[in-house]
Amino acid sequence: MWRFSGNQIKRWRTKANISREQLAAAANYSLNTIKAMEQGVRMPTPRVLDVADELCRAEGLLSAAKEYLSREKFPPRAQEFMEREKEAISLCWYEVTYIPGLLQTEAYATALIQNHVPLLDDETVQERITARMDRQAILTQRKPPVALSFVLYEAALRSPQVDEQQLRRLLELGRLLNVVIQVLPFERATVPALMGPMVLLETRDHERFVFTEGALSSSLSAAPAAVSRATQMLSMIRAEALSPDESARFIERMVDQP
């Protein structure tokens, strides 16, 4: 539907002898953004559809596409994982660089999403922030509660985007009975801890998945060999991490640092 709508914008624009530059200026979008919409890489926004409809005299045919287009709340490569997360009865998460989305404050999430590469338009930024905050219902609103375990490499806590509010949020969530937060200090890192983030997920049907994510790609797998390897790696990482109580004191010291 994205590609079809974008193609229709291009066809109507060409028929009306309207340049891509004219449409971009009228809709207050960059030329590259309009190009991406016409090629089906990005979803045409309601504003672009309405502006194109008026410029190209489409008599409502382009604007009508708004009814059939829905913006995805999550990046395409993470959508399948997000669907599985809704079914989860347990999550074991190891993160190297970032605070996991389920533990983020809105300010921290905003800092990350606003600096996404390539840059996102304002509507997409706001929708993804809202979707990330909505995911956090898993922390307290599921019955029975979801068992959640997080191991955070110290580098994730030392990021410039992590402020006192975010550290206090970790302390607050660590007090929940169904949430375990551990810190892996720099000096305790072993080779498996440096190989990237991973999430082990178990669904209500007791299916087990491993999710891994890198800068350019991600993978969700139920292959027994992949799940077994991730389980072993995560077990080794958790064994080296501080206990939950020690981790809380570690984070408290960071809060108290001037």
Side-chain angles (χ1 to χ4, degrees), residues 69-82:
L69 288 175
S70 60
R71 187 186 302 274
E72 296 292 350
K73 295 180 179 180
F74 305 105
R77 64 180 186 168
Q79 286 168 15
E80 188 177 0
F81 170 74
M82 297 306 171

Side-chain angles (χ1 to χ4, degrees), residues 7-19 38 55-59 61-62:
N7 180 265
Q8 288 299 302
I9 291 173
K10 182 178 180 180
R11 286 177 179 273
W12 277 95
R13 179 178 59 75
T14 302
K15 181 180 178 181
N17 198 30
I18 301 294
S19 69
E38 290 187 345
L55 278 179
C56 303
R57 301 182 179 86
E59 299 181 349
L61 294 177
L62 287 175

Side-chain angles (χ1 to χ4, degrees), residues 124-159:
T124 302
V125 167
Q126 190 54 56
E127 287 174 355
R128 290 195 179 176
I129 292 169
T130 299
R132 187 166 298 182
M133 295 298 101
D134 289 346
R135 284 174 57 209
Q136 296 183 4
I138 193 176
L139 296 165
T140 58
Q141 297 180 24
R142 297 271 189 89
K143 293 183 179 180
V146 180
L148 300 164
S149 172
F150 302 90
V151 181
L152 310 181
Y153 188 42
E154 185 177 346
L157 301 176
R158 301 289 182 186
S159 166

Side-chain angles (χ1 to χ4, degrees), residues 63-105:
S63 292
K66 293 186 294 184
E67 183 179 349
Y68 302 96
L69 288 175
S70 60
R71 187 186 302 274
E72 296 292 350
K73 295 180 179 180
F74 305 105
R77 64 180 186 168
Q79 286 168 15
E80 188 177 0
F81 170 74
M82 297 306 171
E83 289 302 313
R84 297 297 182 182
E85 187 180 81
K86 295 176 184 177
E87 309 168 8
I89 60 172
S90 71
L91 280 169
C92 297
W93 198 310
Y94 172 63
E95 185 56 71
V96 181
T97 310
Y98 302 109
I99 305 298
L102 297 180
L103 306 179
Q104 293 176 7
T105 62

